[in-house]
Amino acid sequence: MSNIITRFPPSPTGYLHVGGARTGLFNWLYARHTGGKFVLRIEDTDVRRSTRASVDAIFEALEWMGIEWDDGPYFQSKRFDIYKEYVRKLLDSGRAYYCDCTPEQVEEMRKRGMAAGGKAKYDGACREKGLSAGENRVVRFKAPLTGATVLEDAVKGNIVFQNAELDDFILERSDGAPTYNFVVVVDDITMGINTIIRGDDHVSNTPKQIQLYKALGADLPTFAHVPMVLGKDKARLSKRHGAMSVTEYQKMGYLPDALINYLVRLGWSHGDQEFFHRNELIEKFSLDHIGKSAGVFDPDKLLALNAEHIQAAPAASLIPHLTPFLKAMGIAAEDQEYLSKVIETLKPRSKTLLEMAEAALFYYTDEIVYEEKAARKFLKPDVLDPLNLLVTQLEGLNDFSEKELEGAFLRVMDTTGLKLGKIAQPVRVALTGKTASPGIFEIVEILGKERVIARLTAAARFIEEKS
RNA sequence: GGCCCCAUCGUCUAGUGGUCUAGGACGCCGGCCUCUCACGCCGGUAACACGGGUUCGAACCCCGUUGGGGUCACCA
């Protein structure tokens, strides 16, 4: 029923950073929420700075996040004919003209304006010259000199710009290439984009674009300028603020849903709710709860949210996300059922998938390396008897269920007079090499009789050799 | 500097004139739980930038100040 069409227009001059991903997300969510369309457009008119590698990086990041587009990707570099055609239209209708002022001359005008009253703009020297096409000539837009242009912004409200503040900006460079403000408008018109959600660093471009829409006789889209994402020091996001690319978060073991949840919540709210599943976001997202002020990117909160998403996810759904990390550690983890059990025990103690993979190691290797401190503290001669006793008890068990295991431990406690804590720690070190791990019964059950007994006796041997 | 935007705990935010001695989340600090580490639970810390109005009554409306951000290209 809806005919909302949004778009995401990254320029391929580097990786996709979290700020850009957020505006992409807003557009995607809004399209999904309204049942509309989401268009991907690559803004690569700056041939010098655009690279194929960046394009691929952007695709990869979007794919990982699960943001799929319905139309495109369009490449502006392949649409020059269309831009030419629109320049022609403007020239023919008298809304654009050729200008032969040199960059130096224009720069001079700006300096003068800056010195005089603060208005740094082209003075319209060639406006009425009636110049035709030629070497070193640019095409400028003949902007209205008086009156005002109003931006009716869906998040910021009405913003009024005096036309006298704006100048006759360039539509087509002297080398024939179109400029940003122009191509954006032509693209948005020809692609049917009717809802533009973008960073508010674009507000000052908007009046120019609105004038272009009008000069071209096109309907205005809905504009929604969302506040920017800032770094901890409240300055614009940059590499010195730490990990900023979407791909980095992927590599650090974040779940795409967690990143999405965090990014959307940064600047948008739904009452007090902090945790959202992807579908909930689609269901609840709307333009009218986007905040007006800039937000600081907080890695701690993202990490906490990631932990929450890990906990909330069924083990089976975590498998595809965790497997690459396991593989990187040389763990094949082919048995899905086993992996599921492993994940279940690790979920509440893993804030990232990377942590989870590292914590899973002892489930997959038989060469347990004892942490030095752990061994010194817990693998001492006095636990030799309890350990051997436990082995005997365990050997007698057919069923390694938690209940049976508890019984076995209880009997060892009985005969030795030791508390569970005294026994559990040495066993934990014997089984995992570490002093921290999932519950002792859980890991014994998952590891299974054979491996548990092997590791226990190995620990006993270790103690004997030491003393 | 001109133009534009913004302003609630350290951070993300709820709040749309009275129910706010301002709520939630992250962080931080206590405690409980406990076989370790976590998880979980309970409690605490901490904010309406400032000054004027408007109103019987302002976090919410208006003006100003201050502070922060954006933008002023033949980049996008």
Side-chain angles (χ1 to χ4, degrees):
Chain A
M1 125 268 133
S2 158
N3 54 353
I4 294 289
I5 303 179
T6 66
R7 41 70 150 183
F8 179 47
S11 57
T13 54
Y15 53 76
L16 180 62
H17 65 90
V18 292
R22 190 182 66 144
T23 64
L25 219 38
F26 282 164
N27 279 287
W28 175 75
L29 280 176
Y30 193 60
R32 289 290 170 271
H33 174 77
T34 57
K37 250 170 62 173
F38 175 65
V39 180
L40 179 63
R41 178 171 78 220
I42 304 297
E43 308 218 324
D44 59 349
T45 52
D46 186 347
V47 188
R48 226 198 308 250
R49 294 199 303 155
S50 300
T51 66
R52 180 68 220 180
S54 297
V55 173
D56 291 339
I58 289 165
F59 287 166
E60 195 187 319
L62 290 175
E63 189 187 342
W64 176 70
M65 287 197 290
I67 297 180
E68 68 296 341
W69 52 94
D70 309 303
D71 195 9
Y74 290 100
F75 288 82
Q76 289 185 327
S77 56
K78 292 184 183 145
R79 295 167 56 84
F80 277 41
D81 288 351
I82 300 172
Y83 308 136
K84 283 272 184 220
E85 181 192 327
Y86 276 80
V87 170
R88 189 74 257 159
K89 280 189 190 181
L90 256 12
L91 247 12
D92 289 347
S93 65
R95 293 309 311 273
Y97 60 92
Y98 281 98
C99 164
D100 64 356
C101 294
T102 63
E104 293 71 33
Q105 286 175 298
V106 175
E107 182 57 29
E108 185 52 36
M109 292 172 198
R110 291 216 165 82
K111 276 203 182 118
R112 240 182 293 136
M114 196 75 114
K119 285 191 187 77
K121 43 183 271 191
Y122 170 70
D123 67 2
C126 301
R127 221 175 198 255
E128 308 301 341
K129 281 189 188 168
L131 259 28
S132 51
E135 273 295 289
N136 290 118
R137 288 182 182 177
V138 300
V139 177
R140 286 185 183 273
F141 178 60
K142 194 179 254 183
L145 268 14
T146 57
T149 298
V150 181
L151 159 59
E152 293 174 29
D153 195 272
V155 348
K156 303 210 179 241
N158 285 184
I159 303 175
V160 181
F161 298 88
Q162 293 306 318
N163 289 155
E165 296 290 338
L166 278 17
D167 66 356
D168 289 352
F169 57 95
I170 293 175
L171 263 21
E172 189 178 285
R173 302 179 178 99
S174 53
D175 65 357
T179 58
Y180 171 74
N181 281 116
F182 180 60
V183 295
V184 175
V185 172
V186 172
D187 280 343
D188 286 336
I189 290 173
T190 55
M191 292 174 192
I193 308 297
N194 53 27
T195 308
I196 297 176
I197 305 170
R198 70 202 341 180
D200 69 6
D201 49 336
H202 283 284
V203 293
S204 50
N205 280 326
T206 312
K208 295 178 185 174
Q209 296 173 193
I210 289 176
Q211 291 176 354
L212 241 21
Y213 273 93
K214 288 183 174 163
L216 256 10
D219 289 337
L220 285 179
T222 295
F223 287 101
H225 287 96
V226 316
M228 314 226 66
V229 179
L230 273 23
K232 186 124 192 104
D233 55 0
K234 300 229 178 196
R236 204 187 186 127
L237 237 37
S238 71
K239 13 310 62 11
R240 70 200 160 74
H241 289 113
M244 283 304 140
S245 96
V246 169
T247 309
E248 278 178 275
Y249 283 95
Q250 176 183 9
K251 286 180 182 152
M252 288 189 290
Y254 285 72
L255 247 20
D257 281 25
L259 216 216
I260 288 176
N261 188 163
Y262 177 73
L263 255 19
V264 175
R265 247 320 319 248
L266 181 54
W268 172 83
S269 63
H270 183 76
D272 275 346
Q273 192 173 346
E274 301 279 353
F275 184 95
F276 294 86
H277 282 110
R278 194 180 197 93
N279 290 340
E280 255 180 310
L281 247 18
I282 290 172
E283 179 192 323
K284 291 170 174 166
F285 183 79
S286 71
L287 261 28
D288 43 52
H289 277 91
I290 293 177
K292 290 182 174 188
S293 47
V296 174
F297 186 87
D298 181 3
D300 283 341
K301 189 153 184 174
L302 169 54
L303 182 63
L305 206 47
N306 195 50
E308 256 190 89
H309 275 270
I310 286 176
Q311 271 210 75
S317 76
L318 252 20
I319 290 180
H321 292 104
L322 180 65
T323 306
F325 292 93
L326 256 17
K327 286 234 168 75
M329 297 177 60
I331 299 169
E334 273 147 5
D335 186 338
Q336 307 251 312
E337 203 180 319
Y338 182 78
L339 217 205
S340 282
K341 287 188 208 160
V342 167
I343 290 174
E344 211 53 66
T345 69
L346 263 17
K347 259 168 45 173
R349 49 205 114 219
S350 307
K351 288 188 191 296
T352 67
L353 296 166
L354 186 59
E355 272 182 31
M356 186 180 274
E358 281 164 357
L361 186 59
F362 77 88
Y363 282 116
Y364 288 97
T365 175
D366 286 324
E367 288 135 43
I368 299 299
V369 180
Y370 308 126
E371 272 178 6
E372 205 203 309
K373 261 172 38 193
R376 209 184 318 134
K377 187 163 180 196
F378 296 109
L379 297 186
K380 294 189 297 193
D382 60 336
V383 298
L384 212 43
D385 284 349
L387 239 34
N388 287 140
L389 248 151
L390 184 62
V391 170
T392 338
Q393 282 297 335
L394 259 20
E395 274 170 340
L397 255 43
N398 294 319
D399 174 18
F400 251 40
S401 70
E402 183 159 344
K403 204 172 154 198
E404 291 296 311
L405 291 170
E406 221 169 322
F409 273 81
L410 232 42
R411 288 190 287 280
V412 176
M413 286 158 70
D414 254 8
T415 56
T416 59
L418 291 171
K419 289 199 173 145
L420 180 57
K422 287 286 174 198
I423 299 171
Q425 276 311 76
V427 172
R428 190 183 314 280
V429 176
L431 263 26
T432 72
K434 300 184 167 83
T435 52
S437 84
I440 206 75
F441 300 127
E442 290 177 279
I443 58 183
V444 168
E445 184 180 346
I446 291 173
L447 251 16
K449 189 170 182 173
E450 197 179 318
R451 287 191 289 173
V452 169
I453 289 175
R455 292 183 193 190
L456 254 23
T457 50
R461 209 174 309 125
F462 171 86
I463 294 169
E464 281 166 350
E465 282 166 10
K466 272 274 178 186
S467 51

